[in-house]
Amino acid sequence: MPSSSLRQRKTSKKVPSEAANLSSPVTTKTTHASPSDTSPQPPQQDDDKSWRTVLWKHPLTWVLLLVGLPYLGWTMYRILVLQYPLLANQRPPVNISDPRQVLILGSMSSGTSGTATLLNKYLEIGHEDADTTWKFVRDGTVSWFHGIRYWKQTSIQSLCHVQYGIYRQNALGDNYGFGPTLFGPPQYPCPWWQQSPSIPQSCYIQACQTALKGELSCGLDGNKCETPFQTTLLQTREPWKIVASLVAKYCWNDHERKIDYPQLPKMLHWLLVALQITPAPTTTSNLPPNGVDLMVQYVDTYYSHMLQANLPKYKVEDLPKDERQAACYLMQRAGLDQIETTVYPPNHNLFQRLCQDESKDDKGGSKSVVTTTTTTTNVINKGRVSLEMLLQHASEDSIQRMKRLYEQLDYEYPQEATTHQPP
């Protein structure tokens, strides 16, 4: 009994204490933020982390970082170097009317692209481009369409409508060497905000007409061109090989492995019509033009105009295989071997450093840099279009044109073409 009563008394003492704990407020160590406390709260931190995660994982963020920022840096670099040079020893800006070192002319597929690539390793040379405000082409241009300087009068309006058609169809593709920056920065009369996403037709054509008026026939009869070049050279190549490259590029059906006239781009055809190289197609005929005859007409007409200008010429086949020797030869022909004929004096120093061993003989006298060699196989044709194929499609008039052109350009007419019987 005493022990049981003792346990009851102990139990009765605990109950009030537990009841008191249930009825009284629980004291915790939770601190409440005062209005003046600006420390971030856990939910807000989670939101910030989630937004940062989404931002860094978004593909547009990486496009901006990997593409946008480098492009912005490259654009600023060109502005500071080409338009507003800040350093005293920097090259001054070259405007459209300032003289440049060399203009090298040659028909399409005569190797002008390779020549521009070669010279651009040492100089600032453009290919079908003369825009010195945005491109590093301050030393000259290699081009076929600059031959318009020695072209007889043709319709500027027709040419500009064709150029706009090429721009609309092939904005990022092949413009056949007739692009908006061919002669320099285009002078669009419309404000810049109207030039996106595409330039209005009237605005584009006005800029084209302004450029062509300063170039068409400007090299004939003692006229002065808007952009002067210290030296103008004519690059030639064996005519049938030019035609083979053009046919392989524009008239070849890779699937059927044959010459296919419908493959010829319509805008290229209309460009040759605008240059009065070939007559316009009749509305009664839906047949495509004979691609081989058309290319023969182009090559023959182009070089006939250039030869009438009596330009100094060289054969692309005679360029040395060695890259440095070939560059030295072209730089010498451009006039960089003499300080008096060098437009930008540091380029003469470059020629001396690069070509000194090649331009001096054992006695210290001057000698020719050129070493006659044979160039590599054309990278466009790659053996697809043979001379036999061309002769099977060529008319008798085309064959006679080519024989005459071979003689004018000092090439030996191929024996295979001599014995071939026309279709």
Side-chain angles (χ1 to χ4, degrees):
M1 291 299 292
S3 60
S4 62
S5 62
L6 180 60
R7 284 197 296 270
Q8 289 178 358
R9 284 196 297 269
K10 289 182 178 179
T11 306
S12 63
K13 289 180 179 179
K14 291 180 181 180
V15 172
S17 175
E18 292 177 359
N21 290 337
L22 291 174
S23 60
S24 62
V26 179
T27 303
T28 63
K29 293 184 178 181
T30 304
T31 58
H32 299 279
S34 63
S36 60
D37 189 357
T38 58
S39 60
Q41 301 301 315
Q44 185 176 350
Q45 289 180 350
D46 293 341
D47 291 344
D48 291 344
K49 290 181 180 179
S50 62
W51 276 109
R52 284 197 296 268
T53 302
V54 171
L55 183 63
W56 280 108
K57 289 185 177 181
H58 199 285
L60 291 180
T61 302
W62 291 102
V63 170
L64 176 63
L65 292 175
L66 299 178
V67 179
L69 292 181
Y71 179 78
L72 177 62
W74 173 240
T75 301
M76 294 303 299
Y77 173 76
R78 288 183 295 172
I79 291 175
L80 293 177
V81 173
L82 297 176
Q83 301 178 24
Y84 303 101
L86 300 178
L87 301 179
N89 60 347
Q90 276 189 278
R91 186 172 183 173
V94 177
N95 299 316
I96 192 171
S97 58
D98 292 331
R100 305 175 196 184
Q101 187 65 43
V102 62
L103 172 64
I104 299 180
L105 302 174
S107 75
M108 289 187 288
S109 289
S110 66
T112 54
S113 178
T115 300
T117 301
L118 171 65
L119 285 176
N120 204 36
K121 294 180 178 180
Y122 307 97
L123 304 171
E124 294 183 14
I125 301 293
H127 182 238
E128 307 294 355
D129 200 324
D131 184 0
T132 55
T133 59
W134 291 102
K135 310 286 181 60
F136 287 91
V137 295
R138 294 176 289 184
D139 291 322
T141 301
V142 183
S143 168
W144 82 268
F145 206 91
H146 269 79
I148 200 78
R149 294 176 162 219
Y150 306 102
W151 214 266
K152 295 179 181 179
Q153 289 293 332
T154 188
S155 172
I156 291 179
Q157 184 176 6
S158 297
L159 283 172
C160 289
H161 276 86
V162 170
Q163 189 188 67
Y164 181 75
I166 295 173
Y167 162 73
R168 293 290 295 175
Q169 288 189 8
N170 304 323
L172 299 176
D174 189 357
N175 57 21
Y176 317 115
F178 190 30
T181 61
L182 175 65
F183 302 117
Q187 305 297 322
Y188 296 121
C190 53
W192 62 268
W193 59 83
Q194 294 183 5
Q195 300 175 22
S196 180
S198 62
I199 303 171
Q201 180 176 2
S202 60
C203 179
Y204 191 102
I205 290 179
Q206 287 184 49
C208 172
Q209 291 175 339
T210 300
L212 278 177
K213 286 178 182 178
E215 288 289 329
L216 180 61
S217 306
C218 68
L220 299 176
D221 302 326
N223 297 330
K224 291 185 178 181
C225 299
E226 187 173 12
T227 301
F229 290 89
Q230 173 67 32
T231 304
T232 301
L233 301 173
L234 178 62
Q235 176 172 293
T236 67
R237 185 188 177 200
E238 188 177 346
W240 274 123
K241 289 185 177 180
I242 298 178
V243 174
S245 291
L246 290 170
V247 170
K249 187 174 184 179
Y250 297 120
C251 304
W252 179 256
N253 189 322
D254 250 336
H255 179 69
E256 299 182 12
R257 307 295 296 174
K258 69 175 186 178
I259 297 175
D260 192 7
Y261 300 156
Q263 298 287 328
L264 180 70
K266 291 184 178 180
M267 294 313 302
L268 175 60
H269 185 198
W270 281 108
L271 177 58
L272 300 183
V273 170
L275 287 169
Q276 299 181 5
I277 292 175
T278 186
T282 60
T283 56
T284 58
S285 176
N286 292 323
L287 295 176
N290 182 319
V292 174
D293 286 344
L294 183 62
M295 296 309 170
V296 168
Q297 292 172 18
Y298 159 71
V299 175
D300 179 49
T301 305
Y302 183 85
Y303 278 108
S304 295
H305 282 86
M306 299 305 106
L307 290 173
Q308 289 178 5
N310 294 318
L311 300 172
K313 62 181 184 294
Y314 66 89
K315 297 179 180 180
V316 71
E317 293 90 347
D318 288 347
L319 289 179
K321 288 184 178 180
D322 180 78
E323 179 182 285
R324 186 169 68 96
Q325 291 182 355
C328 286
Y329 172 70
L330 293 172
M331 292 166 71
Q332 184 185 50
R333 294 294 303 267
L336 292 175
D337 58 330
Q338 302 292 329
I339 189 63
E340 296 81 8
T341 55
T342 301
V343 174
Y344 182 54
N347 284 337
H348 175 65
N349 300 332
L350 171 66
F351 175 83
Q352 289 183 317
R353 293 194 306 270
L354 182 69
C355 312
Q356 186 174 12
D357 294 338
E358 302 295 335
S359 59
K360 298 293 182 180
D361 57 21
D362 294 337
K363 299 180 180 180
S366 176
K367 72 175 183 179
S368 176
V369 176
V370 66
T371 303
T372 303
T373 57
T374 304
T375 57
T376 56
T377 305
N378 183 267
V379 296
I380 296 178
N381 187 6
K382 298 179 180 179
R384 292 177 296 176
V385 179
S386 64
L387 176 58
E388 182 180 359
M389 288 183 183
L390 296 176
L391 294 173
Q392 290 174 354
H393 289 262
S395 64
E396 178 61 26
D397 177 68
S398 293
I399 293 176
Q400 294 303 318
R401 279 173 173 255
M402 294 300 278
K403 287 182 178 179
R404 183 176 62 251
L405 184 59
Y406 265 78
E407 182 178 355
Q408 292 173 337
L409 296 180
D410 300 324
Y411 284 93
E412 183 179 353
Y413 197 72
Q415 184 66 27
E416 179 184 354
T418 303
T419 58
H420 177 78
Q421 296 297 324

